[in-house]
Amino acid sequence: FERMRQGLSKTQASLVGRIDTLLRGRKEIDADLIEDLEEILITADLGMKTTQDLVAVLEDRLDRNELADGEAVRSAMQEELTRRLEEQACGPLDLDAAKPFVLMVVGVNGVGKTTTIGKLARQFKNEGRSVVLGAGDTFRAAASEQLAIWGERSGVEVIRHSEGADPAAVAFDAAKAAVARKADVLILDTAGRLHTKANLMEELKKIRRVLDREIPGAPHETLLVLDATTGQNALNQAKLFSEAVAVSGIALTKLDGTAKGGIVVAISNELKLPVRYIGIGEGVEDLRPFDPAMFAAALFD
Ligand code: GDP
């Protein structure tokens, strides 16, 4: 928990720190104060829709005389944020739901996709599961290199093709290998080019078709990796990707380096997508299953 609190310290300052400064010693709550709160929520990257939702709730409570002082506003905020996060919460992946459990990972370059895959592979391995990695991002030699290094370090087999190869062919070989080795989990990387949505959609659809043909029901999870430091841009990427492919969960990286952690709430509340994992550092254990109550507590308590 301390590590989490530390990782979220910048977000804590930009969101709760500023709220506390605004509310300190307030004996009376009025519309002006709610307006100031609104500005804080927007600058902390909660997004327009979520901010308006929260403001409406606060105004409503104010009308009903439920917000006597600053302390009451603070608890109302914590309560409302936690509730919105919990609505979309889905807990950790149930890897026992299928064998092999197929996890397809999507996202643009630079968001921390390779690192996230490496960390997940290591964690699953540490839990005693056998893992196969598929290096489906064939457009970047570096991505496949990085995965190979993670694989070597963790004792996980990595299925690779040469640069520029068809990602669906990697998916095919990786699925075959996972079945042949009786692996518990297959994690498949994909290319993160977003230059045209139609292109991306076609490519991801083709990969899904191949996976499903080799392992009926696969992929069991389509995890979108987003970089929290990009704030509203991450929200836009999430919109684009979920139009292209059925995203079932989000991994939000680099929360430790940013004051824009409010984006977690925007993703849950605005896009109705569950945040599965958050990244709060470079270490393997710093990629964690997202726990809404703990997240809120790290910010507010
Ligand atoms: P990719 O291009 O999406 O595959 O990105 P990489 O996986 O290569 O990651 C880009 C950089 O982000 C690397 O230096 C990672 O160590 C770093 N990174 C990834 N996740 C986190 C995180 O949660 N916190 C921090 N501080 N850095 C991260």
Side-chain angles (χ1 to χ4, degrees):
F1 180 74
E2 269 318 308
R3 179 106 185 96
M4 176 105 141
R5 193 203 290 277
Q6 220 175 53
L8 294 177
S9 62
K10 287 190 184 166
T11 297
Q12 201 283 336
S14 80
L15 180 62
V16 184
R18 288 176 64 208
I19 291 177
D20 283 345
T21 308
L22 178 69
L23 297 178
R24 190 163 298 132
R26 287 280 181 149
K27 290 285 169 245
E28 212 170 308
I29 307 303
D30 55 20
D32 279 351
L33 182 121
I34 305 262
E35 215 166 280
D36 291 341
L37 264 177
E38 181 173 2
E39 200 201 312
I40 293 176
L41 297 179
I42 290 194
T43 24
D45 273 282
L46 269 84
M48 216 48 193
K49 184 183 180 300
T50 306
T51 299
Q52 278 162 2
D53 281 0
L54 289 170
V55 166
V57 171
L58 289 178
E59 282 169 347
D60 194 45
R61 289 199 181 187
L62 187 61
D63 284 347
R64 284 187 276 137
N65 295 321
E66 288 173 10
L67 301 180
D69 54 15
E71 198 42 51
V73 174
R74 193 184 196 278
S75 347
M77 292 287 307
Q78 176 166 8
E79 195 183 307
E80 292 297 329
L81 285 177
T82 310
R83 194 166 62 74
R84 280 171 175 71
L85 290 172
E86 274 172 348
E87 270 169 12
Q88 295 304 318
C90 57
L93 289 173
D94 179 15
L95 297 178
D96 296 323
K99 188 179 162 85
F101 185 96
V102 180
L103 177 59
M104 174 169 157
V105 183
V106 302
V108 303
N109 300 338
V111 294
K113 193 155 54 83
T114 313
T115 315
T116 299
I117 292 172
K119 287 173 179 171
L120 285 175
R122 175 79 68 85
Q123 288 181 10
F124 297 160
K125 194 86 204 298
N126 288 347
E127 290 164 12
R129 298 177 200 274
S130 56
V131 181
V132 169
L133 291 180
D137 188 350
T138 55
F139 291 86
R140 291 188 306 160
S144 158
E145 276 304 318
Q146 281 299 319
L147 268 196
I149 292 170
W150 273 101
E152 210 163 285
R153 267 195 252 149
S154 313
V156 164
E157 183 178 5
V158 182
I159 306 299
R160 297 168 69 184
H161 282 197
S162 52
E163 193 178 349
D166 182 358
V170 177
F172 177 81
D173 282 353
K176 281 265 189 245
V179 171
R181 317 277 192 278
K182 298 189 170 58
D184 296 315
V185 189
L186 166 62
I187 309 179
L188 183 71
D189 191 10
T190 61
R193 302 164 310 148
L194 252 188
H195 59 273
T196 73
K197 202 173 85 190
N199 224 324
L200 177 78
M201 210 181 302
E202 274 321 303
E203 191 167 294
L204 295 178
K205 264 196 197 136
K206 190 172 163 196
I207 293 173
R208 289 177 70 96
R209 254 195 326 265
V210 167
L211 289 175
D212 184 48
R213 201 171 53 219
E214 296 310 309
I215 302 166
H220 307 98
E221 170 85 2
T222 301
L223 190 70
L224 171 63
V225 184
L226 297 172
D227 176 346
T229 64
T230 64
Q232 295 305 301
N233 199 11
L235 205 60
N236 290 334
Q237 281 172 25
K239 279 181 198 155
L240 270 170
F241 270 96
S242 34
E243 284 163 18
V245 64
V247 172
S248 49
I250 304 284
L252 191 64
T253 64
K254 308 185 202 178
L255 271 169
D256 51 308
T258 183
K260 298 174 191 284
I263 199 70
V264 177
V265 190
I267 290 167
S268 305
N269 188 56
E270 193 169 329
L271 302 180
K272 306 293 177 204
L273 285 173
V275 177
R276 282 264 189 214
Y277 293 97
I278 55 173
I280 54 166
E282 307 247 9
V284 168
E285 296 308 321
D286 292 331
L287 182 75
R288 309 200 166 178
F290 177 63
D291 175 338
M294 197 186 195
F295 181 82
L299 292 180
F300 281 91
D301 293 344

